[in-house]
Amino acid sequence: ILFHKAAMNAAIYGTGYIKIVPGGTELRQSQEDVTVPRLVALDPRWVEVTTMEEDVETVQAYTIRYNLGEIAHREVTERQVTESGDTSSWLVTHYISNQATRGAWQVLDEYSWPYEYAPIVHWQNLPDPSGAYGVSDIAQVLELQDRANFIASNISKVIRYHAHPKTWGRNAGNATQTTWGADEMVMFSSPDALIQNLEMQTDLASSRAFYTDLRQAMFDLSRTVDLTSISDKIGSLTNFGLRVLY
């Protein structure tokens, strides 16, 4: 479930993040209690990545920014560089800002991460060779989705107003009633009276075909198989055949 959540975040926002929280879980091993790290899937909207200007593969800092009520939180995980150029540790500093601090960032706590790798792991959903952030699966699909929703809404409105025939009459002012049910009859005394129905002359085939084209385009851009495009009999295909099809 954890990796599923992280993968979904990456697919939607382009970049996935997992944070290693030290001392998150206690396990009993032999006769001693052992504390192991806990993994957390971070919301990509909270995280900012700072890299070297000449090397986007080298992360200098991760900044997590979020609000809880009236308190703003900022956690900075920054690479530590010694005088000898050693970069084998990270410093995690947690800041808060509220009315008591008059909007200024105040250090709440900090700890050292004594490993060469950072306590936050990030990856690109789709590769971007010129940046640290990845490319979303749905970034190019949103405009098509809005257009498909618009077409579907129009089709729904047409069906709503024209799903049943419109009855109209001429020279029927002397009718005994103007509304009737399925088991009722309207009587006219005028020989020129006329009652007819207005019905749709199309089943919206062209509009439905355009919606299908938009839907298939969304699957193409998201590199996903559109099940409605599969015309083969799935039950008669082997596993290898299904892999080739997909």
Side-chain angles (χ1 to χ4, degrees), residues 168-190:
W168 64 280
R170 184 175 63 194
N171 297 329
N174 59 342
T176 57
Q177 62 186 69
T178 56
T179 60
W180 61 89
D183 58 344
E184 298 177 351
M185 179 181 294
V186 182
M187 304 298 294
F188 302 96
S189 59
S190 172

Side-chain angles (χ1 to χ4, degrees), residues 121-133:
V121 179
H122 86 281
W123 67 94
Q124 297 181 349
N125 174 61
L126 292 177
D128 180 6
S130 60
Y133 303 100

